Amino acid sequence: MRTGQQIKTVAPKPTEIWRHHHILDIDDFSREEIEFVFQTTRAMKEVLSRPIKRVPALRGKTLITLFYEPSTRTRLSFELAAKNLGADAASLSAPASSVAKGESLVDTLSTLQALGADIVVMRHPQSGAPYIATKYMEASMVNAGDGWHAHPTQALLDIYTIQEHKGDLKGLKVVIVGDIMHSRVARSNIWGLTTMGAEVTLCCPPTLLPTGLGGQHRQLPQVSIEHDIERALDGADAVMALRLQLERQRSGLLPSTREYIQLYQLNQTRLARAKPDALVLHPGPVNEGVEIASAVAHGPQSVINEQVTNGVAVRMALLYILAGSPKQ
Ligand code: CP
């Protein structure tokens, strides 16, 4: 990889801190690795502030996005990130590809490898699919969301956005409200936020709480659970609303959307229980009027658009770091 003198970064060399050839989740990221991503992101934001927002750091590299599910933000921001770094970017939407003719995931990945992919960014409805994919390709695999399991780059941009406003995350109260059970964003944020020292509170109906949160078979870091939204929001520094993932829910988990809105919508009255300078986040897509009131989504505390903007810089940082990381 070209080291890209055009990128003003004082970040340490990837090999000193970074251990990953793939980005599959952030459950195995250290605090130093996350800080390294953020330090590199700041350098990328400086690039994006220039009149010409491009550097040739990844010239000659090829990134392919492979999406088996719909996406707006993740796919576009990876493609923009790759182009901003001078890489070639191509995209494949599985429903419009030979997958529709029965081609398997393994054959599709072999094809992408044969076409010269250096980095594949994949979204897949099956939890764990990106892990299997790594066994069949040399290219770096970036998980752009797998089933209910993980969405690591989303969590990194969410945490980066909080850090930009609040500084050190240690001791901050971050509340995640919504359909936690079906949310890969929530799982990755729980890992990343707790690694950075935040105190995470989950708030949702009992039927939308994931398993594996407590006891001897705990699969997620220690979090607080509060089913009452007013109590959950008391003194919060940041609150993240999540969409009801109706496409993943089996029936019977909620009496009705109307009741959900009454009990769990993030509205102005409820937000007043948080600190006056609390941030409002949402990974998108937003269903305004359901999980979040329009006045809150577009209100002065909302950083939803900043999350999207930061997504490009965070993904530029990740691609830059991955391109310089040793193969394992
Ligand atoms: N947050 C997120 O993953 O959005 P998209 O589905 O639009 O990529």
Side-chain angles (χ1 to χ4, degrees), residues 71-74 123 151 154 283-284:
S71 168
T72 299
R73 284 149 282 267
T74 311
R123 173 169 289 183
H151 195 348
Q154 178 68 46

Side-chain angles (χ1 to χ4, degrees), residues 294-306:
S294 298
V296 173
H298 300 286
Q301 289 165 260
S302 171
V303 291
I304 296 172
N305 285 336
E306 285 179 43

Side-chain angles (χ1 to χ4, degrees), residues 266-283:
L266 183 61
N267 59 28
Q268 286 177 303
T269 312
R270 288 172 175 154
L271 183 60
R273 301 285 291 255
K275 288 188 179 154
D277 61 350
L279 303 175
V280 171
L281 298 103
H282 193 307

Side-chain angles (χ1 to χ4, degrees), residues 229 260-267 270 289-293:
I229 188 166
Y260 180 83
I261 292 168
Q262 275 175 0
L263 292 176
Y264 288 101
Q265 184 188 75
L266 183 61
N267 59 28
R270 288 172 175 154
V290 182
E291 72 273 12
I292 188 166

